[in-house]
Amino acid sequence: MRHRPVLLVIAHGSRDPRHAATVHALVRRVRALRPGLRVETGFLDFNVPSVQGALESLAAEGVRDVVALPLLLTRAFHAKADIPAVLRDAPARLRIRQAEVLGPSPLLLSALERRLYEAGLTPADKSSTGVVLASAGSSDPEAIAVIAEIAREWRHTGWCAVRPAFASASLPRTEDAVRELRDLGCERVAVAPYVLAPGFLPDRIARGAEQADVLADVLGPAPEVARVLLERYDTAALPARAALGA
């Protein structure tokens, strides 16, 4: 039986222990959805194993094919520069394919709604509720444009209004978007963090949501997020599996 490429999930890393715990919970869900697929984790900073360390361990075991999947929601600096640079320094015996980032995806919109409903909303509340799509923020225009487009798309699913907001690098901030939705006359305002794990910027989003009626949890190990990881893996792994005759 031919071996499938190993999935290496590449997370940003954080001094906040909640970040790594959430990443590991998501990876466990991916493993549960795809028994038999080997899934490993590497961190760009702060946590272990590092991406380089994870790759060296795989190479030492004799692994040949790896799909490196950025645990990122947009194609900003980390996906375009940091991760490719680390992968270029990987052991020469490894054949590595970098998968696409997770967003945008209809599954992620489903995960956002899951979190809002878990926080107390119901589908019947949609038409009277304005939603702040609160992301970490980026100086990359492409990433900002993607968040704005997601907000426009999400609005068409029945919410009173949806406004993007950013915790850093870009405007508006979460609290400004909350006020804008109030001024629009939305009966209630909810904040949906478009982030994967807790940490400094998600905490800033939470502080900006103090005047909102509902604050959802981060996406974390939502089943929809795990399914997106597997979709990205399958797309990237297809050439390797074809070469192996899988």
Side-chain angles (χ1 to χ4, degrees), residues 16 18 132 134-136 165-168 173-179 182 189-193 195 198-218:
D16 189 322
R18 297 174 298 168
V132 178
S135 74
F166 307 94
S168 68
R173 295 287 183 256
T174 301
E175 53 269 33
D176 299 325
V178 169
R179 283 193 292 269
R182 292 275 188 223
V189 175
V191 174
V195 292
F200 176 75
L201 293 178
D203 285 348
R204 181 180 288 178
I205 289 171
R207 290 193 296 272
E210 288 178 355
Q211 299 304 312
D213 301 294
V214 174
L215 171 62
D217 199 358
V218 298

Side-chain angles (χ1 to χ4, degrees), residues 2-245:
R2 298 291 187 178
H3 293 289
R4 287 175 288 185
V6 171
L7 170 56
L8 176 63
V9 176
I10 300 180
H12 183 277
S14 172
R15 292 186 178 91
D16 189 322
R18 297 174 298 168
H19 174 90
T22 302
V23 170
H24 291 313
L26 175 58
V27 168
R28 287 194 297 271
R29 186 176 287 274
V30 172
R31 289 176 179 143
L33 286 175
R34 186 71 62 84
L37 173 62
R38 181 172 178 181
V39 187
E40 300 293 341
T41 308
F43 294 90
L44 290 172
D45 209 349
F46 302 116
N47 303 104
V48 292
S50 67
V51 177
Q52 186 66 27
L55 291 169
E56 289 173 355
S57 295
L58 290 170
E61 291 180 31
V63 170
R64 293 297 303 276
D65 290 290
V66 176
V67 169
L69 196 158
L71 198 60
L72 301 168
L73 294 171
T74 59
R75 288 191 72 252
F77 182 79
H78 291 304
K80 294 177 179 179
D82 284 353
I83 292 175
V86 173
L87 297 180
R88 283 194 294 270
D89 290 334
R93 68 169 284 117
L94 293 176
R95 293 187 292 253
I96 302 174
R97 290 172 173 82
Q98 181 176 331
E100 290 295 325
V101 298
L102 304 186
S105 168
L107 284 170
L108 294 178
L109 287 181
S110 296
L112 287 166
E113 295 204 357
R114 169 190 292 275
R115 293 301 187 224
L116 286 170
Y117 297 150
E118 289 170 349
L121 293 179
T122 70
D125 296 324
K126 290 184 75 168
S127 62
S128 57
T129 301
V131 180
V132 178
L133 179 69
S135 74
S138 173
S139 58
D140 188 308
E142 178 186 350
I144 297 304
V146 167
I147 298 300
E149 178 59 30
I150 292 171
R152 286 191 291 269
E153 179 182 339
W154 203 15
R155 162 68 180 84
H156 294 311
T157 67
W159 296 100
C160 172
V162 180
R163 293 291 185 272
F166 307 94
S168 68
S170 308
L171 295 174
R173 295 287 183 256
T174 301
E175 53 269 33
D176 299 325
V178 169
R179 283 193 292 269
E180 181 183 352
L181 291 171
R182 292 275 188 223
D183 292 342
L184 281 175
C186 297
E187 185 176 318
R188 66 184 66 78
V189 175
V191 174
Y194 190 58
V195 292
L196 288 165
F200 176 75
L201 293 178
D203 285 348
R204 181 180 288 178
I205 289 171
R207 290 193 296 272
E210 288 178 355
Q211 299 304 312
D213 301 294
V214 174
L215 171 62
D217 199 358
V218 298
L219 294 172
E224 296 87 353
V225 178
R227 288 168 57 196
V228 176
L229 263 72
L230 289 171
E231 285 186 356
R232 299 294 184 258
Y233 168 82
D234 288 338
T235 299
L238 190 59
R241 296 183 66 185
L244 289 170

